[in-house]
Amino acid sequence: MCGIAGLIHRGRDSNVGAEITAMLQALKHRGPDSTGYAVYGSGIDPGANGDLVMRLKVAEQEDMGRGRGIHAAIRDRIGTVDGILAEHGVQVKDKEHATPYALRYVITHTGDLADLATHIEETEGVEILSLGNGLELIKDLGDAATVSEAYSLDGFMGTHGIGHTRMATESDVDIRSAHPYWAFPYNDVSVVHNGQITNYWLQRREMERKGHRFMSDCDSELLAVYTAHHLSKGMTLEDSLRRSIDEIDGVFTYLVATRDSLGMAKDTMAAKPLVLYESDDMIAMASEEVAIRSILPQEIDTWDPYDEEVRVWQA
């Protein structure tokens, strides 16, 4: 079933961490297995220095019960990552543990991003969750309140974000299979999805032939790779969303965020719900209206997008 949510503020920052948390907690009944966020912060200024935020995991939550051996493995993996960063001439400006198995780095890097990311992910057990100028991708097992507390998201300031509550149906209950997804190595693109893609393997093989990497067998990851591929070729986000309606088979409603925009698309059958609210300075959307009303309790007007509808908003 799953639940998706997104919001974007026009021309101002807001506590998007707390807002997305409230929306996802209201959708908890749609997906109790895991919760994920892709939030776009205002604290990193890339400027001319190439500053980036990298979120990565070095183990799964379920691994933590394996005793002292996993803790030694985690230390080794982090040491390897630090060594790779040094080898690539990366300056580490900040490094913190969100959990024992999830880290956040602020780095300065002006070299080949794909080469760096590929080298890091050659380390066994290490997966980059996001790497970009604005995007920070956080996902873990548990409901929104649990994940938000563990990763200190209640004070996260930014312009926009998307989130997902997951009910596992065709892949494992783990961080790797949780939403959102980013698209390596194209920074600042993230996707959440409700539905099922029936030509997933056909489209995945096509993307892999073009050199793209997949880290899970979840069909939703395809949408992130598909979008990032088109954006890397100069296509607009709106055109990519419209093209997906013709080329992606199945039932789907999905949200895509980039560094400065938020978009949505529904398939031809419009079987997966989405409710929208729009004002002059804010747009909010979710699988159910209750999520929007968790942050806008006053009287508001909402509407449901039609089949094959595509919308894009700028921050």
Side-chain angles (χ1 to χ4, degrees), residues 66 107 166 194 304:
R66 286 170 33 204
I107 63 175
R166 180 171 184 258
N194 183 19
D304 299 346

Side-chain angles (χ1 to χ4, degrees), residues 127-147:
E127 179 184 348
I128 297 174
L129 301 179
S130 63
L131 177 58
N133 299 125
L135 168 64
E136 299 198 38
L137 199 153
I138 299 101
K139 52 186 179 179
D140 212 327
L141 307 189
D143 66 15
T146 300
V147 176

